[in-house]
Amino acid sequence: TTGFFNAMNAMHGIGHVSVGGNMGNTRDASNDPVFFMHHANVDRFWDFWQQQSAAHKTACTPSDHPACDTRLNGTGQVYKDYFDL
């Protein structure tokens, strides 16, 4: 599970860096229309992986991976709030 989470996070970052321009800048990335296609694809991979087993549906918990409990910038929310658990 941690391996998948790390691989997805790496793929996500590589997408931003590879496209470049606004996509390569965290603050401006959402100004690029490719941003939304990129994130839809990341969500598609996450959904596909979750459908592979019941254990994957609840895989992202703080005890499983500390990043799941990381606060999102300025929102007071954590990543796990956005996962389909």
Side-chain angles (χ1 to χ4, degrees):
T1 300
T2 300
F4 180 82
F5 189 87
N6 289 338
M8 283 297 297
N9 202 31
M11 183 210 53
H12 167 249
I14 289 169
H16 280 276
V17 172
S18 297
V19 171
N22 284 336
M23 279 284 287
N25 181 334
T26 305
R27 189 182 67 217
D28 298 328
S30 64
N31 292 331
D32 192 324
V34 173
F35 172 88
F36 298 98
M37 292 188 303
H38 172 61
H39 279 260
N41 198 39
V42 170
D43 291 345
R44 184 178 67 88
F45 281 123
W46 178 255
D47 181 62
F48 176 79
W49 184 77
Q50 281 189 311
Q51 291 179 37
Q52 300 309 300
S53 76
H56 289 180
K57 280 295 241 187
T58 58
C60 193
T61 63
S63 61
D64 179 55
H65 197 289
C68 295
D69 208 27
T70 301
R71 297 258 172 232
L72 298 170
N73 294 341
T75 67
Q77 296 173 313
V78 293
Y79 284 109
K80 67 181 179 180
D81 293 338
Y82 292 93
F83 293 145
D84 180 19
L85 299 176

Coordinates of all heavy atoms in Angstrom, one line a residue:
T1 N 0.8 -1.2 0.0 CA 0.0 0.0 0.0 C 0.9 1.3 0.0 O 0.7 2.2 -0.8 CB -0.9 0.0 1.2 OG1 -1.8 -1.1 1.1 CG2 -1.8 1.2 1.3
T2 N 1.8 1.3 0.9 CA 2.7 2.4 0.9 C 3.5 2.6 -0.4 O 3.6 3.7 -0.9 CB 3.7 2.3 2.1 OG1 3.0 2.2 3.3 CG2 4.7 3.5 2.2
G3 N 3.9 1.4 -1.0 CA 4.5 1.5 -2.2 C 3.7 2.1 -3.3 O 4.1 2.9 -4.2
F4 N 2.4 1.7 -3.3 CA 1.5 2.3 -4.3 C 1.3 3.7 -4.1 O 1.3 4.5 -5.1 CB 0.1 1.5 -4.3 CG -0.8 2.1 -5.3 CD1 -0.7 1.7 -6.6 CD2 -1.8 3.0 -5.0 CE1 -1.6 2.2 -7.6 CE2 -2.6 3.5 -5.9 CZ -2.6 3.1 -7.2
F5 N 1.1 4.1 -2.9 CA 0.9 5.6 -2.6 C 2.1 6.4 -3.0 O 2.0 7.4 -3.6 CB 0.7 5.7 -1.1 CG 0.3 7.1 -0.7 CD1 -1.1 7.5 -0.7 CD2 1.2 8.1 -0.3 CE1 -1.5 8.7 -0.3 CE2 0.8 9.3 0.1 CZ -0.6 9.7 0.0
N6 N 3.3 5.9 -2.7 CA 4.5 6.6 -3.1 C 4.7 6.6 -4.6 O 5.1 7.6 -5.2 CB 5.8 5.9 -2.5 CG 5.9 6.1 -1.0 OD1 5.3 7.1 -0.5 ND2 6.6 5.3 -0.3
A7 N 4.3 5.5 -5.3 CA 4.4 5.5 -6.8 C 3.4 6.5 -7.4 O 3.8 7.2 -8.4 CB 4.1 4.1 -7.3
M8 N 2.2 6.6 -6.9 CA 1.2 7.5 -7.4 C 1.7 8.9 -7.1 O 1.5 9.8 -8.0 CB -0.1 7.3 -6.7 CG -0.9 6.1 -7.2 SD -1.3 6.3 -9.0 CE -2.4 7.7 -8.9
N9 N 2.2 9.2 -6.0 CA 2.7 10.5 -5.7 C 3.9 10.9 -6.6 O 3.9 12.1 -7.1 CB 3.2 10.6 -4.2 CG 3.1 12.1 -3.7 OD1 2.3 12.9 -4.1 ND2 4.0 12.3 -2.8
A10 N 4.7 10.0 -6.9 CA 5.8 10.2 -7.8 C 5.3 10.5 -9.2 O 5.7 11.5 -9.9 CB 6.8 9.1 -7.8
M11 N 4.3 9.7 -9.7 CA 3.7 9.9 -11.0 C 3.1 11.2 -11.1 O 3.2 11.9 -12.1 CB 2.7 8.8 -11.3 CG 2.1 8.9 -12.7 SD 0.5 8.3 -12.9 CE -0.5 9.1 -11.7
H12 N 2.4 11.6 -10.0 CA 1.7 12.9 -10.0 C 2.7 14.0 -10.2 O 2.5 14.9 -11.0 CB 1.0 13.1 -8.6 CG 0.5 14.5 -8.4 ND1 1.1 15.2 -7.4 CD2 -0.4 15.2 -9.0 CE1 0.5 16.4 -7.4 NE2 -0.4 16.4 -8.4
G13 N 3.8 14.0 -9.4 CA 4.8 15.0 -9.5 C 5.5 15.1 -10.9 O 5.8 16.1 -11.5
I14 N 5.8 13.9 -11.5 CA 6.5 13.8 -12.8 C 5.6 14.4 -13.8 O 6.1 15.1 -14.7 CB 6.8 12.3 -13.1 CG1 7.9 11.9 -12.2 CG2 7.1 12.2 -14.6 CD1 8.2 10.4 -12.3
G15 N 4.3 14.2 -13.7 CA 3.3 14.9 -14.7 C 3.5 16.4 -14.7 O 3.5 17.0 -15.7
H16 N 3.5 16.9 -13.5 CA 3.6 18.4 -13.4 C 5.0 18.9 -14.0 O 5.0 19.9 -14.7 CB 3.5 18.8 -11.9 CG 2.1 18.9 -11.4 ND1 1.3 20.0 -11.6 CD2 1.4 18.0 -10.7 CE1 0.2 19.8 -11.1 NE2 0.2 18.6 -10.5
V17 N 6.1 18.2 -13.6 CA 7.4 18.7 -14.1 C 7.5 18.5 -15.6 O 8.1 19.3 -16.3 CB 8.5 17.9 -13.3 CG1 9.8 18.2 -13.9 CG2 8.4 18.3 -11.8
S18 N 7.0 17.3 -16.1 CA 7.2 17.0 -17.5 C 6.5 18.0 -18.4 O 7.0 18.4 -19.5 CB 6.7 15.6 -17.8 OG 7.5 14.7 -17.1
V19 N 5.3 18.4 -18.0 CA 4.5 19.4 -18.8 C 5.2 20.8 -18.7 O 5.3 21.5 -19.7 CB 3.0 19.5 -18.3 CG1 2.3 20.6 -19.0 CG2 2.4 18.1 -18.6
G20 N 5.7 21.1 -17.6 CA 6.3 22.4 -17.4 C 5.4 23.6 -17.5 O 4.2 23.4 -17.3
G21 N 5.9 24.8 -17.7 CA 5.0 26.0 -17.8 C 4.3 26.2 -16.4 O 4.9 26.0 -15.4
N22 N 3.0 26.6 -16.5 CA 2.3 26.7 -15.3 C 2.2 25.4 -14.5 O 2.1 25.4 -13.2 CB 0.8 27.2 -15.6 CG 0.8 28.7 -15.9 OD1 1.7 29.4 -15.6 ND2 -0.2 29.1 -16.7
M23 N 2.1 24.3 -15.2 CA 2.0 23.0 -14.5 C 3.2 22.7 -13.5 O 3.1 22.0 -12.6 CB 1.9 21.9 -15.5 CG 0.5 21.7 -16.0 SD -0.6 20.9 -14.9 CE 0.0 19.2 -14.9
G24 N 4.4 23.3 -13.9 CA 5.6 23.1 -13.1 C 5.6 23.9 -11.8 O 6.5 23.8 -11.0
N25 N 4.7 24.9 -11.7 CA 4.7 25.8 -10.6 C 3.5 25.5 -9.7 O 2.4 25.7 -10.1 CB 4.7 27.2 -11.1 CG 4.7 28.3 -10.0 OD1 4.3 28.0 -8.9 ND2 5.2 29.4 -10.3
T26 N 3.7 25.0 -8.5 CA 2.6 24.6 -7.6 C 1.6 25.7 -7.5 O 0.4 25.5 -7.5 CB 3.2 24.3 -6.2 OG1 4.2 23.3 -6.3 CG2 2.1 23.8 -5.3
R27 N 2.0 27.0 -7.3 CA 1.0 28.1 -7.1 C 0.2 28.3 -8.4 O -1.0 28.7 -8.3 CB 1.8 29.3 -6.8 CG 0.9 30.5 -6.3 CD 1.7 31.7 -6.0 NE 2.3 32.2 -7.2 CZ 3.5 32.7 -7.3 NH1 4.3 32.9 -6.2 NH2 4.0 33.2 -8.4
D28 N 0.7 28.1 -9.6 CA 0.0 28.4 -10.8 C -0.5 27.2 -11.6 O -1.1 27.4 -12.6 CB 0.9 29.3 -11.7 CG 1.4 30.6 -11.1 OD1 0.6 31.1 -10.3 OD2 2.5 31.0 -11.4
A29 N -0.3 26.0 -11.1 CA -0.6 24.8 -11.9 C -2.0 24.8 -12.3 O -2.3 24.4 -13.5 CB -0.2 23.6 -11.1
S30 N -2.9 25.2 -11.5 CA -4.4 25.1 -11.9 C -4.8 26.1 -12.9 O -5.9 26.0 -13.5 CB -5.3 25.2 -10.6 OG -5.1 26.5 -10.1
N31 N -3.9 27.0 -13.4 CA -4.2 27.9 -14.5 C -4.0 27.2 -15.8 O -4.4 27.7 -16.8 CB -3.2 29.1 -14.4 CG -3.5 30.0 -13.3 OD1 -4.6 30.1 -12.8 ND2 -2.5 30.7 -12.8
D32 N -3.4 26.0 -15.8 CA -3.2 25.3 -17.1 C -4.3 24.2 -17.2 O -4.5 23.4 -16.3 CB -1.8 24.6 -17.0 CG -1.3 24.0 -18.3 OD1 -2.2 23.5 -19.1 OD2 -0.1 24.0 -18.5
P33 N -5.0 24.3 -18.4 CA -6.1 23.3 -18.6 C -5.6 21.8 -18.5 O -6.4 21.0 -18.1 CB -6.5 23.6 -20.0 CG -6.1 25.0 -20.3 CD -4.9 25.2 -19.5
V34 N -4.3 21.6 -18.7 CA -3.8 20.2 -18.6 C -3.8 19.7 -17.2 O -4.0 18.6 -16.9 CB -2.3 20.2 -19.1 CG1 -1.7 18.8 -18.9 CG2 -2.3 20.5 -20.6
F35 N -3.8 20.7 -16.2 CA -3.9 20.4 -14.8 C -5.1 19.5 -14.5 O -5.0 18.5 -13.8 CB -4.0 21.7 -14.0 CG -4.2 21.5 -12.5 CD1 -3.2 21.3 -11.6 CD2 -5.5 21.5 -12.0 CE1 -3.4 21.2 -10.3 CE2 -5.8 21.4 -10.7 CZ -4.7 21.2 -9.8
F36 N -6.2 19.8 -15.0 CA -7.5 19.1 -14.7 C -7.5 17.7 -15.4 O -7.9 16.8 -14.8 CB -8.7 19.9 -15.2 CG -8.7 21.2 -14.4 CD1 -8.3 22.4 -14.9 CD2 -9.2 21.2 -13.1 CE1 -8.3 23.6 -14.2 CE2 -9.2 22.4 -12.3 CZ -8.7 23.6 -12.9
M37 N -6.9 17.6 -16.6 CA -6.8 16.3 -17.2 C -5.8 15.4 -16.4 O -6.1 14.2 -16.2 CB -6.3 16.4 -18.7 CG -7.3 17.0 -19.6 SD -6.9 17.0 -21.3 CE -5.4 17.8 -21.4
H38 N -4.7 16.0 -16.0 CA -3.7 15.3 -15.2 C -4.3 14.8 -13.9 O -4.2 13.6 -13.6 CB -2.5 16.2 -14.9 CG -1.5 15.7 -14.0 ND1 -0.8 14.5 -14.3 CD2 -1.1 16.1 -12.8 CE1 0.0 14.3 -13.3 NE2 -0.1 15.2 -12.4
H39 N -5.0 15.6 -13.2 CA -5.6 15.2 -11.9 C -6.7 14.2 -12.1 O -6.9 13.3 -11.3 CB -6.0 16.4 -11.1 CG -4.8 17.0 -10.4 ND1 -4.5 16.7 -9.0 CD2 -3.8 17.7 -10.8 CE1 -3.4 17.3 -8.7 NE2 -2.9 17.9 -9.8
A40 N -7.5 14.3 -13.2 CA -8.5 13.3 -13.5 C -7.9 12.0 -13.7 O -8.4 10.9 -13.3 CB -9.3 13.7 -14.7
N41 N -6.7 11.9 -14.4 CA -6.0 10.7 -14.6 C -5.5 10.1 -13.3 O -5.6 8.9 -13.1 CB -4.9 10.9 -15.6 CG -4.5 9.5 -16.2 OD1 -5.3 8.7 -16.5 ND2 -3.2 9.4 -16.4
V42 N -5.0 10.9 -12.4 CA -4.5 10.4 -11.1 C -5.7 9.8 -10.4 O -5.6 8.8 -9.8 CB -3.8 11.6 -10.3 CG1 -3.6 11.2 -8.9 CG2 -2.5 12.0 -11.0
D43 N -6.8 10.5 -10.4 CA -8.0 10.0 -9.7 C -8.5 8.7 -10.3 O -8.9 7.8 -9.6 CB -9.2 11.0 -9.8 CG -8.9 12.2 -8.9 OD1 -8.0 12.2 -8.1 OD2 -9.6 13.2 -9.1
R44 N -8.3 8.6 -11.7 CA -8.7 7.3 -12.4 C -7.8 6.2 -11.9 O -8.3 5.1 -11.6 CB -8.6 7.5 -13.9 CG -9.0 6.3 -14.7 CD -8.9 6.6 -16.2 NE -7.5 6.8 -16.6 CZ -6.8 5.8 -17.0 NH1 -7.3 4.5 -17.1 NH2 -5.5 6.0 -17.4
F45 N -6.5 6.4 -11.8 CA -5.6 5.3 -11.3 C -6.0 5.0 -9.9 O -6.0 3.8 -9.5 CB -4.1 5.8 -11.4 CG -3.5 5.7 -12.7 CD1 -3.0 6.8 -13.3 CD2 -3.5 4.5 -13.4 CE1 -2.4 6.8 -14.6 CE2 -3.0 4.4 -14.7 CZ -2.4 5.6 -15.3
W46 N -6.2 6.0 -9.0 CA -6.6 5.7 -7.6 C -7.8 4.9 -7.5 O -7.9 3.9 -6.8 CB -6.7 7.0 -6.9 CG -7.1 6.9 -5.4 CD1 -8.3 7.1 -4.9 CD2 -6.3 6.4 -4.4 NE1 -8.3 6.8 -3.5 CE2 -7.1 6.4 -3.2 CE3 -4.9 6.0 -4.3 CZ2 -6.6 6.0 -2.0 CZ3 -4.5 5.6 -3.0 CH2 -5.3 5.6 -1.9
D47 N -8.8 5.2 -8.3 CA -10.1 4.5 -8.3 C -9.9 3.0 -8.8 O -10.4 2.1 -8.2 CB -11.1 5.2 -9.2 CG -12.5 4.5 -9.2 OD1 -13.1 4.4 -8.2 OD2 -12.9 4.0 -10.3
F48 N -9.1 2.9 -9.8 CA -8.8 1.5 -10.3 C -8.2 0.7 -9.3 O -8.5 -0.5 -9.0 CB -8.0 1.6 -11.6 CG -7.6 0.2 -12.1 CD1 -8.5 -0.5 -12.9 CD2 -6.3 -0.3 -11.9 CE1 -8.1 -1.8 -13.3 CE2 -5.9 -1.5 -12.3 CZ -6.8 -2.3 -13.1
W49 N -7.2 1.3 -8.6 CA -6.5 0.5 -7.6 C -7.4 0.2 -6.4 O -7.4 -0.9 -5.9 CB -5.3 1.4 -7.1 CG -4.4 0.6 -6.1 CD1 -3.5 -0.3 -6.3 CD2 -4.4 0.9 -4.7 NE1 -2.9 -0.8 -5.2 CE2 -3.5 0.0 -4.1 CE3 -5.1 1.7 -3.8 CZ2 -3.2 -0.1 -2.8 CZ3 -4.8 1.7 -2.5 CH2 -3.9 0.8 -1.9
Q50 N -8.3 1.1 -6.0 CA -9.2 0.8 -4.9 C -10.1 -0.3 -5.2 O -10.6 -1.0 -4.3 CB -10.0 2.1 -4.6 CG -9.2 3.1 -3.7 CD -10.2 4.2 -3.2 OE1 -10.9 4.8 -4.0 NE2 -10.1 4.5 -2.0
Q51 N -10.5 -0.4 -6.5 CA -11.4 -1.5 -6.9 C -10.8 -2.9 -6.9 O -11.6 -3.8 -7.0 CB -12.0 -1.1 -8.3 CG -12.9 0.1 -8.3 CD -13.5 0.4 -9.6 OE1 -13.7 -0.5 -10.4 NE2 -13.6 1.6 -9.9
Q52 N -9.5 -3.0 -6.8 CA -8.9 -4.3 -6.8 C -9.1 -5.1 -5.6 O -9.0 -6.3 -5.7 CB -7.4 -4.1 -7.1 CG -7.0 -3.3 -8.3 CD -7.7 -3.9 -9.5 OE1 -7.5 -5.1 -9.9 NE2 -8.5 -3.1 -10.2
S53 N -9.4 -4.5 -4.4 CA -9.7 -5.3 -3.3 C -10.4 -4.5 -2.2 O -10.2 -3.2 -2.2 CB -8.4 -6.0 -2.7 OG -7.7 -5.0 -2.0
A54 N -11.0 -5.1 -1.3 CA -11.6 -4.4 -0.1 C -10.6 -3.7 0.7 O -10.8 -2.6 1.2 CB -12.5 -5.4 0.7
A55 N -9.4 -4.3 0.8 CA -8.3 -3.7 1.6 C -7.9 -2.4 1.0 O -7.5 -1.5 1.7 CB -7.2 -4.7 1.8
H56 N -7.9 -2.3 -0.3 CA -7.5 -1.1 -0.9 C -8.4 0.1 -0.7 O -8.1 1.2 -0.7 CB -7.3 -1.3 -2.5 CG -6.2 -2.1 -2.8 ND1 -5.9 -2.4 -4.1 CD2 -5.2 -2.8 -2.1 CE1 -4.8 -3.2 -4.2 NE2 -4.4 -3.4 -3.0
K57 N -9.7 -0.3 -0.5 CA -10.7 0.8 -0.2 C -10.4 1.6 1.0 O -10.7 2.8 1.1 CB -12.1 0.2 -0.1 CG -12.8 -0.1 -1.3 CD -13.0 1.1 -2.2 CE -14.5 1.3 -2.4 NZ -14.7 2.4 -3.3
T58 N -9.8 1.0 2.0 CA -9.5 1.7 3.3 C -7.9 1.8 3.5 O -7.5 1.9 4.6 CB -10.1 1.0 4.4 OG1 -9.7 -0.4 4.5 CG2 -11.6 1.0 4.3
A59 N -7.2 1.8 2.4 CA -5.7 1.7 2.5 C -5.1 2.9 3.1 O -4.1 2.9 3.7 CB -5.1 1.3 1.2
C60 N -5.6 4.1 2.8 CA -5.0 5.3 3.2 C -5.4 5.8 4.6 O -6.4 6.5 4.7 CB -5.2 6.4 2.2 SG -4.1 7.8 2.4
T61 N -4.7 5.3 5.6 CA -5.0 5.7 6.9 C -3.7 6.2 7.5 O -2.6 5.8 7.1 CB -5.5 4.6 7.8 OG1 -4.5 3.6 7.8 CG2 -6.8 4.0 7.2
P62 N -3.7 7.1 8.5 CA -2.5 7.6 9.1 C -1.5 6.5 9.6 O -0.3 6.7 9.4 CB -2.9 8.5 10.3 CG -4.3 8.9 9.9 CD -4.9 7.7 9.1
S63 N -2.0 5.4 10.1 CA -1.2 4.3 10.5 C -0.5 3.6 9.3 O 0.5 3.0 9.5 CB -1.9 3.3 11.4 OG -3.0 2.7 10.6
D64 N -1.2 3.7 8.2 CA -0.6 3.1 7.0 C 0.4 3.9 6.3 O 1.5 3.5 5.8 CB -1.8 2.8 6.0 CG -1.3 2.1 4.7 OD1 -0.6 1.1 4.8 OD2 -1.5 2.7 3.6
H65 N 0.2 5.2 6.2 CA 1.1 6.1 5.6 C 0.9 7.5 6.2 O -0.2 8.1 6.1 CB 0.9 6.2 4.1 CG 2.0 6.8 3.3 ND1 2.3 8.1 3.4 CD2 2.9 6.2 2.5 CE1 3.4 8.3 2.6 NE2 3.8 7.2 2.1
P66 N 2.0 8.1 6.8 CA 1.9 9.4 7.4 C 1.3 10.5 6.5 O 0.7 11.4 7.0 CB 3.3 9.7 7.9 CG 4.1 8.5 7.7 CD 3.3 7.5 6.8
A67 N 1.6 10.4 5.2 CA 1.1 11.5 4.3 C -0.4 11.5 4.3 O -1.0 12.6 3.9 CB 1.6 11.2 2.9
C68 N -1.1 10.5 4.6 CA -2.6 10.5 4.6 C -3.1 11.4 5.7 O -4.3 11.8 5.6 CB -3.1 9.1 4.8 SG -2.7 8.0 3.5
D69 N -2.3 11.8 6.6 CA -2.7 12.7 7.7 C -2.1 14.0 7.6 O -2.2 14.8 8.5 CB -2.4 12.0 9.1 CG -3.3 12.5 10.2 OD1 -4.5 12.8 9.9 OD2 -2.9 12.5 11.3
T70 N -1.5 14.3 6.4 CA -0.8 15.6 6.2 C -1.9 16.7 5.9 O -2.8 16.5 5.2 CB 0.1 15.5 5.0 OG1 1.1 14.5 5.2 CG2 0.8 16.8 4.7
R71 N -1.7 17.8 6.5 CA -2.6 18.9 6.3 C -2.4 19.5 5.0 O -1.3 19.8 4.5 CB -2.4 20.0 7.4 CG -2.7 19.5 8.8 CD -4.1 20.0 9.3 NE -4.4 19.3 10.5 CZ -5.5 18.7 10.7 NH1 -6.4 18.6 9.8 NH2 -5.7 18.1 11.9
L72 N -3.5 19.8 4.3 CA -3.5 20.5 3.0 C -3.2 22.0 3.2 O -3.7 22.5 4.2 CB -4.8 20.3 2.2 CG -5.1 18.9 1.9 CD1 -6.5 18.7 1.3 CD2 -4.1 18.3 0.9
N73 N -2.5 22.6 2.4 CA -2.0 24.0 2.6 C -3.2 24.9 2.9 O -4.1 25.1 2.1 CB -1.4 24.5 1.3 CG 0.0 23.8 1.0 OD1 0.5 23.2 1.9 ND2 0.4 23.9 -0.2
G74 N -3.2 25.5 4.1 CA -4.2 26.5 4.5 C -5.6 26.1 4.6 O -6.5 26.9 4.8
T75 N -5.9 24.8 4.5 CA -7.3 24.4 4.5 C -7.8 23.8 5.8 O -8.9 23.7 6.1 CB -7.6 23.3 3.4 OG1 -6.9 22.1 3.8 CG2 -7.2 23.8 2.1
G76 N -6.8 23.3 6.6 CA -7.2 22.6 7.9 C -7.7 21.2 7.6 O -8.0 20.5 8.5
Q77 N -7.7 20.8 6.4 CA -8.2 19.4 6.0 C -6.9 18.5 5.7 O -5.8 19.0 5.5 CB -9.1 19.4 4.8 CG -10.4 20.2 5.1 CD -11.2 20.4 3.9 OE1 -10.7 20.7 2.8 NE2 -12.5 20.1 4.0
V78 N -7.2 17.2 5.7 CA -6.1 16.3 5.5 C -6.4 15.5 4.2 O -7.6 15.4 3.8 CB -5.8 15.4 6.7 CG1 -5.3 16.1 7.8 CG2 -7.1 14.6 7.1
Y79 N -5.4 14.9 3.6 CA -5.6 14.1 2.4 C -6.7 13.1 2.5 O -7.5 12.9 1.6 CB -4.3 13.5 2.0 CG -3.3 14.4 1.3 CD1 -2.1 14.7 2.0 CD2 -3.5 14.9 0.1 CE1 -1.2 15.6 1.4 CE2 -2.5 15.8 -0.5 CZ -1.4 16.1 0.2 OH -0.5 16.9 -0.4
K80 N -6.7 12.4 3.6 CA -7.6 11.3 3.8 C -9.1 11.8 3.7 O -10.0 11.0 3.4 CB -7.4 10.5 5.1 CG -7.6 11.3 6.3 CD -7.3 10.5 7.5 CE -7.6 11.3 8.8 NZ -7.3 10.6 10.0
D81 N -9.3 13.1 3.9 CA -10.7 13.6 3.8 C -11.2 13.5 2.4 O -12.4 13.6 2.2 CB -10.7 15.1 4.3 CG -10.5 15.2 5.8 OD1 -10.7 14.3 6.5 OD2 -10.1 16.4 6.2
Y82 N -10.3 13.4 1.4 CA -10.7 13.4 0.0 C -10.7 12.0 -0.6 O -11.1 11.9 -1.7 CB -9.7 14.3 -0.8 CG -9.9 15.8 -0.4 CD1 -9.2 16.4 0.6 CD2 -10.9 16.5 -1.0 CE1 -9.4 17.7 1.0 CE2 -11.1 17.9 -0.6 CZ -10.4 18.4 0.3 OH -10.6 19.7 0.7
F83 N -10.2 11.0 0.1 CA -10.2 9.7 -0.4 C -11.6 9.0 -0.1 O -12.2 9.3 0.9 CB -9.1 8.9 0.3 CG -7.7 9.3 -0.1 CD1 -6.7 9.3 0.8 CD2 -7.5 9.8 -1.4 CE1 -5.4 9.7 0.4 CE2 -6.2 10.2 -1.8 CZ -5.2 10.1 -0.9
D84 N -11.9 8.1 -1.0 CA -13.2 7.4 -0.9 C -13.0 6.2 0.1 O -12.7 5.1 -0.3 CB -13.6 6.9 -2.3 CG -14.9 6.1 -2.3 OD1 -15.6 6.3 -1.3 OD2 -15.1 5.4 -3.2
L85 N -13.1 6.5 1.4 CA -13.0 5.5 2.4 C -14.3 4.9 2.9 O -15.2 5.6 2.9 CB -12.2 6.0 3.6 CG -10.8 6.5 3.2 CD1 -10.2 7.1 4.5 CD2 -9.9 5.4 2.7

